Structures are given as C-alpha cells and as structure tokens.
Amino acid sequence: METCTLNSLVKPHIFLRMWYSFLNIFFFVFHTIFTLFNIVGWIFQKTRKLHLITISLTAFSWFFLGIWYGWGYCFCTDWHWTVRQRLGYKDHSNSYIHFLILKLSGINLNEQMVENATLVIFLLCFILSACLNIKDWRIKKNKSQNHLS
C-alpha cells in the first residue's frame, strides 16, 4: 500500500506559487505603508524617532547601496520585482512609486517626473524629520535640565 504524503497530493510548485503570491501581496502592503510612513511619519511627535530611522534606511538604500546597484536602489523594490518575475509578471518600471501609481490608479505618468517628485518629497521629509527630531531633543534636554535645577 502506497503512503499518502503531502507531496503526492499537491505538487511542490503549487506551494511555491502560493508563497510568491503571498509575498507579492505582502510587498504591496508593506512597501506602500513604509512609503506612506516616510511621507507623513515626521508629522506626529510620537513617531518622529521611528520616522528618522525609516527615512534614514531609505537614504542608505538609495544613496549608499545605490553606489553599487544604481542610484535610487531599493532592496524592497528589488525583492518585489524578483517575486513578480517568478510569478510571470513583466510589468515593473524603473520606479516603485511610478509602478504603484500605475497599479492603483491606472494613470501612466512620466517616469522621470515621478522620480523627480519622489526625490523632492523625500528630501523635504528627511529635512523636516531631522529638524523636528533635533527640536524635540532640545526641548527634552531643556526640560530635564530645568527639572534638575
């Protein structure tokens, strides 16, 4: 009598396809939330430290890893493109933001315009985050010094 195993019931490639489908959805959700947080996380005092970390990670990926992989390199985008390629999609663009706008709205904006706008918004958010974190740190430092006096 032949034993019934999971592999005999379902082919391994089906599990791989399910895994890649899960990862595709995960990257859409995670990367979109991460991107939105990079845009608005500096606004709320409670999230400013975390925002400075996430936007610094983005800067590290874009500008430091970008030395070797190309300006604006994002490891999240790279992983997502790999997953989508293994699922058979051939629809990625050079910019994740452009890709996201296209997928969510159906509007195919000029890629260079999207990349320029992304850079300007990123730099503004990075500067705001750094300045507000310094301001918060100074206020906290002054409060602790006044409390000790």
Side-chain angles (χ1 to χ4, degrees):
M1 183 166 146
E2 188 176 322
T3 58
C4 186
T5 65
L6 192 55
N7 280 344
S8 68
L9 295 174
V10 181
K11 300 290 184 207
H13 69 277
I14 293 173
F15 283 118
L16 218 62
R17 180 135 181 96
M18 287 172 46
W19 175 244
Y20 286 134
S21 295
F22 165 78
L23 287 175
N24 185 40
I25 293 166
F26 169 79
F27 279 118
F28 267 122
V29 173
F30 173 77
H31 204 185
T32 302
I33 290 170
F34 191 91
T35 300
L36 291 173
F37 184 73
N38 271 350
I39 296 169
V40 299
W42 59 269
I43 295 171
F44 312 102
Q45 188 172 11
K46 289 185 177 188
T47 61
R48 286 184 188 153
K49 285 181 187 176
L50 179 60
H51 179 265
L52 189 58
I53 292 167
T54 63
I55 205 154
S56 295
L57 283 171
T58 303
F60 175 81
S61 183
W62 284 10
F63 305 118
F64 185 73
L65 294 178
I67 293 169
W68 294 278
Y69 296 104
W71 180 89
Y73 172 78
C74 176
F75 51 87
C76 243
T77 302
D78 193 19
W79 295 340
H80 195 178
W81 287 171
T82 300
V83 166
R84 290 184 65 78
Q85 182 181 27
R86 295 210 174 133
L87 285 169
Y89 293 108
K90 295 173 176 37
D91 60 353
H92 70 270
S93 62
N94 292 325
S95 160
Y96 188 79
I97 302 302
H98 177 268
F99 171 77
L100 204 54
I101 291 169
L102 181 60
K103 288 296 169 192
L104 294 178
S105 73
I107 300 170
N108 190 6
L109 298 173
N110 177 281
E111 278 192 54
Q112 190 59 53
M113 180 191 73
V114 172
E115 285 189 22
N116 291 342
T118 300
L119 178 61
V120 167
I121 291 167
F122 171 82
L123 292 173
L124 285 172
C125 291
F126 189 88
I127 291 166
L128 285 165
S129 184
C131 290
L132 289 170
N133 270 283
I134 290 168
K135 179 185 144 254
D136 292 346
W137 177 76
R138 286 181 177 159
I139 288 170
K140 187 176 177 181
K141 182 181 167 190
N142 286 339
K143 280 184 181 177
S144 68
Q145 284 178 346
N146 290 339
H147 182 69
L148 293 174
S149 322

